[in-house]
Amino acid sequence: MNRWAEGLYQLRQYPSAIAGALLILLLVLLSLYTVITIPYSQAIEQWRGGEVWERNPVNAGPVWADRLTGGNLPATQTVKTDESAISSKDFNGGRRVSMPLTFDYDADGFPSELNVFLSAEYEETAPFVRLTWRTPDGRTIPLGNHQITGDRRISISQDWDLQRRLDALPHVGLFADEPAAQPAQREVQKGTYGLQVDAILFEDDAELDAELVVYGQVHGLAGTDHQRRSLLLALLWGTPIALAFGLLATVGTTVTTLVIAAVGVWYRGWVDAVIQRLTEVNMILPLLPILVMVGTLYSTSIWIMLGVVILLGIFSAGIKMYRAMLLPIREAPYIEAARSYGASNSRIVMRYMIPRVLPVLIPNFVTLIPTFVFLEASLALLGLGDPSLPTWGKILNDAQDQSALYHGFFYWVLEPAVLLMLTGLGFAMLGFALDRVFNPRLRSI
């Protein structure tokens, strides 16, 4: 215990160790926060995409990146019905309802999309709706008439007739200051806009809700992908998945490797010979091609991949390193003393031999964790990651499939890459400092 306490005290003298420990602590706290606030089942369901993301823009960058560079690109605005502004007038057989949806727009760019979400409740006859757009300079632009049956999304941005009338994409022409100007010369008009929803309800107890979504070019802390999914979900959940994969793989390989090496050294003979032959055969087996084969022919489940990694890592080259360290320990006087007072073979191996090499094992253990984190990300980047899990590697794979860098979506690649870099940097700085503290050959350097 005194040796460990002294080693930890010496570790405080290395700024790199403190910085690495803080990075690891930050990743652990982020993992705990993610697991507590976003349940696993909820994360899996949301990552599959669908209606949960329908109010997010497509391929929108993070807000902070735009603001940091002095930009003022539009963020997504959701305009809901103001109950106090709704006017209603009854007539024989129903009533007329007028719902103004007004909002202020002061961004420097045009929106990326424009949708209206309408929800109607009725018994037999569906409500009839007329939409009218109002600009800050007083212009009114009719957007068409619609019969609303249940929940319906009206995509104004995909109204081809409106596009021909405006001679521009609808979400550009509706916000342009000079509609008659050439498309390349149009600039966004700032001010108060409005969507007038005039509805006819043919039943006394019928109800209608309206919601306007003005999609921006930037969104949230991490941006969105091609399926409108928030990348923040995958960045957050990728942290505990990466750390769990790296930690379990490291524990499963290093601990078993050390125990097997100690058993071979102690029993010698055919036991040691079999262990060494298995190790030599396993050393020539390529890990990544085997994992690619398993993922292609069997399953891409992350847990199956983890099991294969542990199985292939048990008889790794570390056995020969540990064997070389354990051979002189086997002949040490205190081992003879333990045998003389009747200590069992298992007690000698687990209590007297293995603890002697732990100071060398721990630095190697710490630096090995990011190796398996990068391995999981590499498999996902190759398309062999678990498709149901939101991970850093899956983000990179989607970015590669959608040619994110070619289209200028750099955030899509940089965000998971930075997290991978910080993970490797944190464990590397702490592991190298531990090696200098606990490795006798490096203490004087």
Side-chain angles (χ1 to χ4, degrees):
M1 292 298 296
N2 291 335
R3 182 181 179 183
W4 289 104
E6 181 183 356
L8 293 177
Y9 178 79
Q10 294 179 5
L11 196 64
R12 297 168 54 187
Q13 302 176 7
Y14 294 91
S16 61
I18 298 176
L22 290 177
L23 280 176
I24 296 173
L25 178 62
L26 179 62
L27 292 172
V28 172
L29 293 177
L30 184 61
S31 300
L32 293 176
Y33 169 81
T34 302
V35 173
I36 293 173
T37 57
I38 309 176
Y40 178 79
S41 58
Q42 178 182 340
I44 298 301
E45 182 179 358
Q46 291 184 0
W47 187 244
R48 291 172 181 169
E51 294 184 359
V52 67
W53 304 114
E54 64 181 358
R55 285 165 174 77
N56 285 358
V58 177
N59 294 332
V63 175
W64 63 267
D66 174 65
R67 304 300 185 258
L68 190 64
T69 56
N72 188 31
L73 292 177
T76 300
Q77 296 188 58
T78 301
V79 187
K80 297 184 178 180
T81 306
D82 185 1
E83 297 293 338
S84 61
I86 298 177
S87 61
S88 177
K89 183 178 181 180
D90 296 335
F91 65 91
N92 186 17
R95 70 182 189 275
R96 298 178 184 273
V97 178
S98 178
M99 296 184 293
L101 303 177
T102 60
F103 64 98
D104 294 326
Y105 193 86
D106 59 356
D108 292 337
F110 292 99
S112 62
E113 195 176 353
L114 203 60
N115 286 337
V116 180
F117 294 88
L118 298 171
S119 177
E121 296 181 5
Y122 58 94
E123 292 293 336
E124 296 180 357
T125 307
F128 189 80
V129 170
R130 181 178 63 190
L131 303 177
T132 305
W133 186 259
R134 300 184 184 277
T135 63
D137 56 5
R139 291 181 291 117
T140 58
I141 303 173
L143 301 182
N145 304 321
H146 307 272
Q147 189 173 25
I148 309 303
T149 57
D151 296 333
R152 182 177 177 185
R153 183 184 72 174
I154 300 176
S155 181
I156 299 177
S157 297
Q158 297 181 8
D159 188 336
W160 310 125
D161 179 66
L162 179 61
Q163 180 175 341
R164 286 192 296 270
R165 285 192 284 134
L166 298 174
D167 193 24
L169 294 173
H171 54 272
V172 174
L174 294 176
F175 286 84
D177 57 350
E178 297 183 13
Q182 295 296 324
Q185 299 175 352
R186 294 175 181 175
E187 295 183 359
V188 66
Q189 181 180 18
K190 300 181 180 181
T192 301
Y193 288 85
L195 175 67
Q196 185 69 30
V197 181
D198 297 314
I200 299 178
L201 307 180
F202 299 98
E203 299 172 0
D204 294 336
D205 56 350
E207 297 291 340
L208 179 68
D209 291 327
E211 186 175 293
L212 171 66
V213 180
V214 183
Y215 296 87
Q217 298 184 34
V218 293
H219 185 84
L221 293 176
T224 61
D225 63 4
H226 61 297
Q227 298 185 37
R228 303 181 187 270
R229 298 175 299 187
S230 174
L231 293 180
L232 184 62
L233 173 67
L235 294 174
L236 289 176
W237 255 104
T239 306
I241 292 175
L243 293 182
F245 187 92
L247 182 62
L248 292 175
T250 303
V251 170
T253 55
T254 56
V255 174
T256 53
T257 297
L258 178 58
V259 172
I260 290 174
V263 169
V265 168
W266 178 250
Y267 286 99
R268 292 186 175 181
W270 67 270
V271 176
D272 187 37
V274 170
I275 293 174
Q276 296 306 311
R277 300 297 82 76
L278 289 175
T279 301
E280 291 163 359
V281 171
N282 190 60
M283 286 173 60
I284 65 174
L285 295 178
L287 176 61
L288 186 58
I290 292 177
L291 292 175
V292 171
M293 181 179 64
V294 172
T296 303
L297 301 179
Y298 183 63
S299 173
T300 57
S301 171
I302 190 174
W303 308 118
I304 292 179
M305 292 294 186
L306 177 61
V308 174
V309 168
I310 294 176
L311 287 176
L312 294 177
I314 290 177
F315 291 94
S316 63
I319 285 185
K320 292 190 173 292
M321 179 186 70
Y322 295 137
R323 181 175 182 272
M325 298 170 60
L326 290 167
L327 282 174
I329 294 176
R330 187 185 190 279
E331 308 300 331
Y334 68 89
I335 298 295
E336 293 296 330
R339 295 179 62 182
S340 65
Y341 73 73
S344 63
N345 292 329
S346 59
R347 179 177 175 82
I348 292 176
V349 171
M350 303 300 297
R351 180 66 180 83
Y352 298 112
M353 295 181 63
I354 291 180
R356 297 291 294 179
V357 298
L358 285 180
V360 178
L361 171 67
I362 290 180
N364 185 48
F365 178 90
V366 173
T367 54
L368 195 58
I369 291 177
T371 301
F372 292 110
V373 172
F374 293 143
L375 176 62
E376 186 277 329
S378 300
L379 292 173
L381 180 59
L382 293 173
L384 299 173
D386 196 325
S388 64
L389 290 180
T391 63
W392 299 338
K394 192 66 176 66
I395 298 178
L396 293 172
N397 177 251
D398 289 341
Q400 181 187 37
D401 291 341
Q402 300 298 318
S403 302
L405 293 179
Y406 177 79
H407 294 292
F409 306 136
F410 299 102
Y411 67 94
W412 203 343
V413 177
L414 291 178
E415 289 170 347
V418 167
L419 287 174
L420 284 168
M421 180 192 69
L422 291 177
T423 302
L425 184 63
F427 282 100
M429 289 192 299
L430 180 59
F432 293 152
L434 286 170
D435 199 20
R436 294 177 68 89
V437 170
F438 291 106
N439 193 333
R441 296 182 179 181
L442 299 177
R443 289 179 185 173
S444 58
I445 299 178

